Amino acid sequence: MPALPPEGTPGSFWEDRGDRHHAGLDLYAPAGARVVSIEDGKVLSTGIFTSPDQVPYWNVTYQVIIAHDSGIFCRYAELGDLAVGAGAGVDGGKVIGHVGEVLNLSLIAAETPAYIRDLKRQGRGSMLHFEVFTSAPGPDPNYLGGNWFSSRKPAHLADPARVLTDAV
Ligand SMILES: [Zn+2]
């Protein structure tokens, strides 16, 4: 597994991005890298996570939300494809999809947010975006593409670092 971004650094949980906060943790990996379920569970839903219809410099990527047997809910996002469907049971370690190319680096310009321009400079257009919840995440008007457009952290959003450290 790639190294976790240290607290307060780009890609870390609840990173302050000016008008938004990062809802999860980014694990930078090449597009096509396998993404596995961290624990046993059941796929709650799958679907499109980002699309150029929402933000021009986004590619189409997908998400998988799994209700894990330990009681947590995880969103595995910015995937290039899906290897499981809603309702499927998954064992820990099962491949659920592959890392996608979320950013269209050629469309990132001066007016895009600074943290996106930093990613372009570093050539980081692909990653797993990973979120952990203590109850099932639903649609939220303040949420888009892995960020919360609010400085108030939702009560059911948890720090993924601890979960991932326990899983490896
Ligand atoms: Zn992210």
Side-chain angles (χ1 to χ4, degrees):
M1 190 178 77
L4 306 185
E7 200 176 322
T9 64
S12 61
F13 176 61
W14 212 244
E15 176 197 353
D16 185 347
R17 294 174 162 175
D19 61 347
R20 67 198 79 176
H21 281 74
H22 191 215
L25 202 125
D26 290 336
L27 296 170
Y28 301 106
R34 294 180 319 145
V35 175
V36 300
S37 176
I38 60 163
E39 300 173 3
D40 296 353
K42 185 176 177 181
V43 177
L44 203 62
S45 66
T46 62
I48 288 183
F49 186 66
T50 59
S51 144
D53 295 341
Q54 298 165 301
V55 174
Y57 56 78
W58 280 349
N59 291 318
V60 172
T61 66
Y62 303 92
Q63 65 171 357
V64 176
I65 298 176
I66 298 179
H68 286 296
D69 292 355
S70 65
I72 60 170
F73 295 77
C74 295
R75 187 199 310 268
Y76 303 76
E78 304 185 357
L79 304 176
D81 63 13
L82 297 169
V84 291
V90 290
D91 295 333
K94 181 186 165 57
V95 174
I96 57 171
H98 297 86
V99 170
E101 199 80 48
V102 62
L103 297 177
N104 182 341
L105 297 179
S106 68
L107 291 183
I108 292 167
E111 66 275 13
T112 54
Y115 79 95
I116 295 287
R117 282 181 277 125
D118 286 345
L119 289 171
K120 179 182 180 176
R121 247 191 311 277
Q122 296 157 8
R124 286 177 160 173
S126 63
M127 65 202 79
L128 170 68
H129 172 88
F130 181 73
E131 296 171 11
V132 176
F133 297 85
T134 54
S135 62
D140 188 296
N142 290 321
Y143 180 88
L144 181 68
N147 292 297
W148 236 286
F149 287 76
S150 163
S151 55
R152 201 154 45 89
K153 197 189 309 182
H156 67 325
L157 183 65
D159 184 348
R162 228 191 118 232
V163 171
L164 287 179
T165 307
D166 289 350
V168 292

